[in-house]
Amino acid sequence: MPACATGSTRGADTVVMFLATSPHLFPVICEQLGAAGLNTPRIRVVLEKPLGHDLASAQQINRIVASVFREDQAFRIDHYLGKPAVQNLSALRFGNALFEPLWRRECIANIQITLAEGIGVGTRGDFYDRTGALRDMIQNHALQLLTMIAMEPPPSSDADAIRDEKLKVLKSLKPFTPQSVARDVVRGQYKAGTIDGKAVRGYLDEAKVPPDSRCETFVALRTEVQNWRWASVPFYLRTGKRLAEREAHIVVNFREVPHPIFPGANRANQLVIKLQPEDGLELHLMAAKGSGPSELLAPVSLDLDFDKAFASERVGGYERLLLDAIAGRLNLFVRSDEQEQAWRWVEPVLDAWARDPNGPRPYAAGSWGPAASSALVARDGCTWAEEQ
Ligand code: BG6
């Protein structure tokens, strides 16, 4: 529903309109706001996801919004960008000198982004069935995280300096072909299973879901960022409903030491960026257990809990985004060209699925998705975090 807030910047009142409506209403609302003269520079519009259903509908919305408002008056929400843990990604990379020299293909073997949910589709069956996990979570949240992990250091913290770099990452993503969709993308749909000891129904038995639906509730995919920094480093993205746990994290797997001199197991270093439910960092290292020539290495980890460290200063994701919209800070909002490029990248997957006679692979509620998801990473000699 549209809502309105006022605030004051540099002495002039600012009006923020929050459009949390079905996307097909964005154009008419914006046109009418324009017709009523409610598009002066003091007016801002916040556009809530979903921002279109595909590239063409996103472009149409953007065209009409742009005919009424300047780009810097349009605040496209991706609520993941409001999460403190996600803002911490920029702090980690660009507020510390430690990681940046290692943040490249020479030192990193692969990167995994997991956005796992325990919940099912609940009462949103009709919306979800027209949407699916690729549009609902990958096109926006997972790709935004990927851009923040893979982007070059921006020259400043200006919104456009950051968004220019994120756009470059989206433009560098390896395009999908029908062959690579078949090889590198796994889609699944949950069947009945058990979560937290309780039996839960399968997707096809959810309210407002057609009994023959081919909608995916799980996606795992492998991609690459085709530039000098990341050439041939696999980026794995994974999301799903009714998975074993609600857990969002990014795992950066470093390469193994080039010449191991200690006997026994040598595990490669790993940085786990925990996004939710905890907000923290784990750095997995090797340490000597004993002393002397036969000393054996053992894995140890440095564990930082940001919720605990900054509890009193944290605001919720939406609160942060709305405060930023009132203050006119665009850093955590998605620019139209970023959003369209993300659609451009996912569309070949949607097209290939539409032509594929096989539907999504079944997986039991409470599992980590179809077995093909593990096989996808195993092909490169990797495992998902929970399999380690
Ligand atoms: C929304 C999706 O964008 O994100 C939902 O439409 C999903 O399907 C939600 O459940 C997940 O958000 P969070 O913050 O709970 O991870």
Side-chain angles (χ1 to χ4, degrees), residues 210-291:
D212 56 352
S213 170
R214 287 164 44 111
C215 174
E216 81 287 358
T217 60
F218 175 95
V219 177
L221 63 85
R222 179 194 190 282
T223 187
E224 289 175 20
V225 178
Q226 297 183 307
N227 61 20
W228 273 46
R229 185 188 282 266
W230 295 115
S232 16
V233 174
F235 282 74
Y236 304 105
L237 311 186
R238 174 176 65 155
T239 188
K241 296 222 180 274
R242 286 290 189 225
L243 296 182
E245 276 166 48
R246 175 177 185 250
E247 190 171 312
H249 61 237
I250 302 173
V251 177
V252 179
N253 285 311
F254 288 89
R255 294 196 186 279
E256 288 173 1
V257 293
H259 175 64
I261 58 167
F262 295 107
N266 276 277
R267 283 230 323 240
N269 298 136
Q270 190 183 61
L271 179 68
V272 182
I273 303 165
K274 297 194 278 189
L275 306 175
Q276 64 187 26
E278 305 102 34
D279 168 6
L281 268 189
E282 271 172 28
L283 181 59
H284 296 272
L285 306 164
M286 300 302 290
K289 260 203 292 198
S291 56

Side-chain angles (χ1 to χ4, degrees), residues 104-313:
R104 56 195 67 249
R105 64 189 305 279
E106 289 80 2
C107 304
I108 292 180
N110 64 75
I111 294 185
Q112 307 184 352
I113 300 177
T114 293
L115 306 179
E117 297 186 273
I119 56 169
V121 293
T123 54
R124 297 163 77 222
D126 49 352
F127 161 77
Y128 195 86
D129 203 67
R130 283 178 275 118
T131 307
L134 190 74
R135 289 186 173 96
D136 193 42
M137 297 291 286
I138 299 281
Q139 185 272 344
N140 34 65
H141 308 319
L143 281 187
Q144 282 293 321
L145 294 175
L146 188 155
T147 61
M148 295 181 72
I149 282 286
M151 70 197 264
E152 293 300 312
S156 73
S157 61
D158 285 354
D160 278 334
I162 295 170
R163 299 190 301 177
D164 287 347
E165 295 305 334
K166 286 164 66 189
L167 178 63
K168 282 189 212 160
V169 174
L170 292 167
K171 287 186 171 170
S172 309
L173 286 176
K174 188 171 182 174
F176 281 111
T177 60
Q179 295 72 27
S180 68
V181 172
R183 190 188 57 225
D184 294 340
V185 188
V186 174
R187 60 174 163 157
Q189 187 183 78
Y190 64 83
K191 303 292 160 202
T194 310
I195 300 218
D196 292 335
K198 283 198 207 111
V200 295
R201 63 176 75 148
Y203 178 72
L204 296 181
D205 296 320
E206 298 280 18
K208 301 187 219 154
V209 169
D212 56 352
S213 170
R214 287 164 44 111
C215 174
E216 81 287 358
T217 60
F218 175 95
V219 177
L221 63 85
R222 179 194 190 282
T223 187
E224 289 175 20
V225 178
Q226 297 183 307
N227 61 20
W228 273 46
R229 185 188 282 266
W230 295 115
S232 16
V233 174
F235 282 74
Y236 304 105
L237 311 186
R238 174 176 65 155
T239 188
K241 296 222 180 274
R242 286 290 189 225
L243 296 182
E245 276 166 48
R246 175 177 185 250
E247 190 171 312
H249 61 237
I250 302 173
V251 177
V252 179
N253 285 311
F254 288 89
R255 294 196 186 279
E256 288 173 1
V257 293
H259 175 64
I261 58 167
F262 295 107
N266 276 277
R267 283 230 323 240
N269 298 136
Q270 190 183 61
L271 179 68
V272 182
I273 303 165
K274 297 194 278 189
L275 306 175
Q276 64 187 26
E278 305 102 34
D279 168 6
L281 268 189
E282 271 172 28
L283 181 59
H284 296 272
L285 306 164
M286 300 302 290
K289 260 203 292 198
S291 56
S294 64
E295 68 193 340
L296 283 183
L297 295 187
V300 290
S301 65
L302 290 172
D303 206 339
L304 298 177
D305 180 341
F306 298 127
D307 279 328
K308 214 189 257 168
F310 302 123
S312 59
E313 290 154 62

